[in-house]
Amino acid sequence: MKFGVIINQCKVLDSIFSDKKTKQRYLDYAYKIGLKRCLENLISTSVISPDSINNMYIFADEHSTATDGRYELKETLEQEFKRGTYNFNWDRFFPPIFPRLGGIVLHFCNSECTPLVRAADIVANKIYNCSISGNLSDIQQKIHIVHLP
């Protein structure tokens, strides 16, 4: 299943864009939430069973990886999917969606050399163009879209 995240930049705090590492932490968060919502959709439609997932292999386009957060992308994905997360602001625990997950392997790839990552770039461009033109309804049956501030 394909997924994408649309970020309404006007609603994002200016401080997030003031520092490269803070911006990267937010982008990692957006990626994590987009992937999580897509996987939750696959679980809710019985396409996958959360107990049947032993390992995850994620191939992502190369990008800046340094953040000012507690975790880098791999660690934040493991926290979310394997151990669960605790939101201190809301005093709420979000359980892991894959309780039997052994681990996550994250590869950063050059999209010029990795066809599936290049395909992801094409999907991202399609989402961007549909978002800008206001034609998201054309692709929402084929691509799981998450909107974030």
Side-chain angles (χ1 to χ4, degrees):
M1 173 171 242
K2 295 179 279 266
F3 76 94
V5 179
I6 296 173
I7 299 171
N8 185 340
Q9 291 182 347
C10 296
K11 293 184 178 182
V12 176
L13 296 173
D14 290 337
S15 61
I16 289 177
F17 293 109
S18 67
D19 179 76
K20 281 183 172 182
K21 290 183 178 184
T22 304
K23 180 181 174 185
Q24 189 56 54
R25 180 171 52 121
Y26 182 77
L27 293 174
D28 286 355
Y29 165 78
Y31 183 83
K32 174 188 77 170
I33 293 301
L35 180 58
K36 180 179 182 180
R37 297 293 180 259
C38 180
L39 293 168
E40 287 172 334
N41 180 270
L42 292 173
I43 291 168
S44 71
T45 56
S46 299
V47 173
I48 61 173
S49 166
D51 293 326
S52 68
I53 304 300
N54 299 319
N55 294 294
M56 292 178 69
Y57 299 88
I58 299 170
F59 298 84
D61 202 358
E62 288 178 325
H63 67 283
S64 173
T65 59
T67 73
D68 64 352
R70 187 171 172 191
Y71 302 111
E72 300 298 331
L73 181 57
K74 180 181 184 287
E75 289 79 15
T76 195
L77 291 170
E78 284 180 343
Q79 185 72 35
E80 190 73 38
F81 299 142
K82 183 178 179 176
R83 293 183 285 280
T85 57
Y86 185 78
N87 183 315
F88 291 97
N89 293 334
W90 297 97
D91 192 29
R92 186 164 175 215
F93 177 71
F94 296 89
I97 60 174
F98 299 117
R100 294 195 170 115
L101 184 65
I104 292 178
V105 177
L106 175 63
H107 293 284
F108 290 104
C109 310
N110 181 338
S111 62
E112 291 178 9
C113 303
T114 310
L116 286 177
V117 176
R118 189 169 46 249
D121 281 345
I122 293 167
V123 171
N125 286 330
K126 180 69 173 175
I127 293 169
Y128 175 77
N129 288 323
C130 287
S131 176
I132 294 299
S133 67
N135 293 326
L136 278 176
S137 59
D138 295 346
I139 62 169
Q140 286 183 311
Q141 279 79 16
K142 300 173 189 166
I143 303 172
H144 188 81
I145 305 287
V146 176
H147 296 268
L148 290 178

